[in-house]
Amino acid sequence: MWKHFGFSIVFTIVCLGLSAYWGYTHGPDAGLKTMLTMLTITAILAVMEVSLSFDNAVVNASVLRHWDHFWKMLFLTVGILVAVFGMRLIFPIVIVAVTADMGMMEVVNLALNDPKEYSARLMNHHPEIAAFGGAFLLMVFLNFFLDDGKDTHWFKWIERRLANLASVPALSVFVALVALLVMAANVDEAKRLVMTMAGIWGIVIYIGVQVLSHLLGGEPELDDDGNTVDKAGNPVPGGVVKAGIGGFLYLEVLDASFSFDGVIGAFAITSDVVIIMLGLAIGAIFVRSITIYLVEKGTLDAYVYLEHGAHYAIGALAFIMIASGTGLHVPEVVTGLIGVAFIVWAIIASIQYRKRQAKLDS
């Protein structure tokens, strides 16, 4: 257990120590009481991020299980830097800087010295953020089930029908565009164009990553010794590297889409950007540790419906993000619990499936 979560535990202790120092030394109410408050908020944000992104970890594991050690380590190092500093800290600052026509350092000063104003400016662009993240996650959800080659179905009555619709050209794009049109019809006219463009960019980036992955060789097929082979079983030099580039980009964009919801939700709890970054960083690190744990323990093979549950949770989050872009507020605890509920349900269903198979085999 320490092998998989040791770094995350140490990182958590460091972040909690930094949040305690920040609360004890900064702000007009700095002191012991503020320190305890900041520690509590940091812990709440970390738990919220893990609950929102656990399904992300399952999907990450489904991609990562075919990777070699190098790409796994790259995901845990470079990927962590992008996730923690890029998406949880720099990206919100970039959004405010671009939309408010401010310099980066101006926005940083605003975030540190007037966090409420910074939060207000960021929240003002929630429809665009929700449209991008919602459209991308909706594509992830749809393309998992719109697959006529998938022979394992959890809710057979709906998943078989979706698999049969896989032959309809660009059906996932059609559904995502319809969702965007419905969303656009329910926002202020001043926000309509920019929100629609953000959603289209979510679709374009999803397809673009798939195209890149295909051009680089697609997901590798492995022989019994773990070597990359083509469909005929012949060795393919560098196959994992090529597929790893496309897969790495896919996982980073997927993580970005999940992080939008976490960042926006965090501002509902506190406007202190330092505490938000520390809390969400803890969650992001644990999500990566959970991903590696799921891969190395073969959890996806042991629980056949776990990947299905994760994608249902992603679908629910996509619709919640799209709905929130129109002004409908869904409490963050509900968003997190939906994901956890689908994961737990999938685990129970997988255990029941194994028991049924064991009886049939006996």
Side-chain angles (χ1 to χ4, degrees):
M1 187 66 71
W2 180 259
K3 171 188 172 184
H4 296 99
F5 295 98
F7 176 76
S8 297
I9 293 171
V10 172
F11 185 82
T12 298
I13 294 172
V14 171
C15 287
L16 290 175
L18 290 173
S19 70
Y21 171 79
W22 183 259
Y24 191 77
T25 60
H26 290 76
D29 299 321
L32 182 60
K33 183 178 179 180
T34 302
M35 181 188 78
L36 295 175
T37 301
M38 293 304 180
L39 276 172
T40 302
I41 293 175
T42 303
I44 291 173
L45 290 174
V47 173
M48 182 190 76
E49 178 71 4
V50 173
S51 65
L52 285 173
S53 300
F54 190 86
D55 41 0
N56 186 14
V58 176
V59 177
N60 287 348
S62 70
V63 178
L64 229 69
R65 58 180 167 176
H66 297 303
W67 292 11
D68 63 9
H69 180 74
F70 170 78
W71 287 102
K72 289 178 184 176
M73 289 302 101
L74 190 69
F75 175 73
L76 281 175
T77 52
V78 177
I80 282 176
L81 293 176
V82 175
V84 174
F85 296 103
M87 298 315 305
R88 272 76 178 180
L89 177 63
I90 297 176
F91 186 73
I93 290 175
V94 170
I95 290 177
V96 175
V98 172
T99 56
D101 194 23
M102 298 171 63
M104 290 284 289
M105 291 310 300
E106 288 183 88
V107 178
V108 171
N109 289 330
L110 180 68
L112 294 176
N113 300 316
D114 192 357
K116 290 185 178 180
E117 176 63 20
Y118 170 79
S119 173
R121 294 195 183 194
L122 181 62
M123 293 293 286
N124 189 45
H125 296 280
H126 177 60
E128 303 100 277
I129 297 172
F132 178 91
F136 184 89
L137 293 179
L138 186 58
M139 292 290 291
V140 173
F141 165 73
L142 291 171
N143 281 288
F144 177 76
F145 292 105
L146 293 172
D147 180 6
D148 53 8
K150 188 164 69 69
D151 52 10
T152 301
H153 303 298
W154 183 12
F155 299 116
K156 296 179 175 60
W157 57 276
I158 185 172
E159 291 181 24
R160 284 176 177 168
R161 287 173 172 79
L162 288 174
N164 290 334
L165 291 172
S167 59
V168 179
L171 181 58
S172 59
V173 177
F174 169 77
V175 174
L177 288 175
V178 169
L180 277 179
L181 289 174
V182 172
M183 186 179 182
N186 289 279
V187 298
D188 294 337
E189 188 173 351
K191 288 280 186 183
R192 193 166 296 163
L193 177 59
V194 66
M195 186 222 68
T196 304
M197 288 300 298
I200 291 174
W201 270 112
I203 297 171
V204 168
I205 289 178
Y206 176 88
I207 297 174
V209 172
Q210 301 301 314
V211 170
L212 179 62
S213 179
H214 179 78
L215 292 175
L216 291 173
E219 184 175 310
E221 295 188 23
L222 306 178
D223 60 16
D224 294 336
D225 297 322
N227 300 313
T228 308
V229 297
D230 59 20
K231 294 186 182 299
N234 300 315
V236 180
V240 171
V241 174
K242 291 180 178 180
I245 296 172
F248 182 80
L249 292 175
Y250 171 76
L251 291 184
E252 289 306 316
V253 179
L254 182 66
D255 179 76
S257 300
F258 274 92
S259 72
F260 293 150
D261 193 61
V263 171
I264 296 298
F267 278 103
I269 298 174
T270 178
S271 58
D272 191 317
V273 292
V274 173
I275 297 301
I276 287 174
M277 191 196 73
L278 291 173
L280 297 186
I282 293 172
I285 295 295
F286 264 101
V287 166
R288 271 156 175 68
S289 296
I290 293 169
T291 297
I292 297 299
Y293 179 83
L294 293 175
V295 171
E296 296 187 354
K297 293 296 182 180
T299 307
L300 295 182
D301 296 325
Y303 299 94
V304 295
Y305 298 135
L306 186 57
E307 197 173 355
H308 294 68
H311 280 86
Y312 278 118
I314 286 175
L317 179 58
F319 283 110
I320 287 173
M321 291 186 75
I322 290 172
S324 69
T326 65
L328 178 65
H329 176 68
V330 179
E332 286 70 30
V333 65
V334 174
T335 305
L337 287 177
I338 287 177
V340 173
F342 272 116
I343 295 296
V344 172
W345 191 358
I347 291 174
I348 294 173
S350 299
I351 294 173
Q352 293 173 339
Y353 172 83
R354 279 194 301 179
K355 289 180 178 179
R356 290 195 300 269
Q357 290 299 113
K359 288 182 179 179
L360 291 175
D361 293 339
S362 61

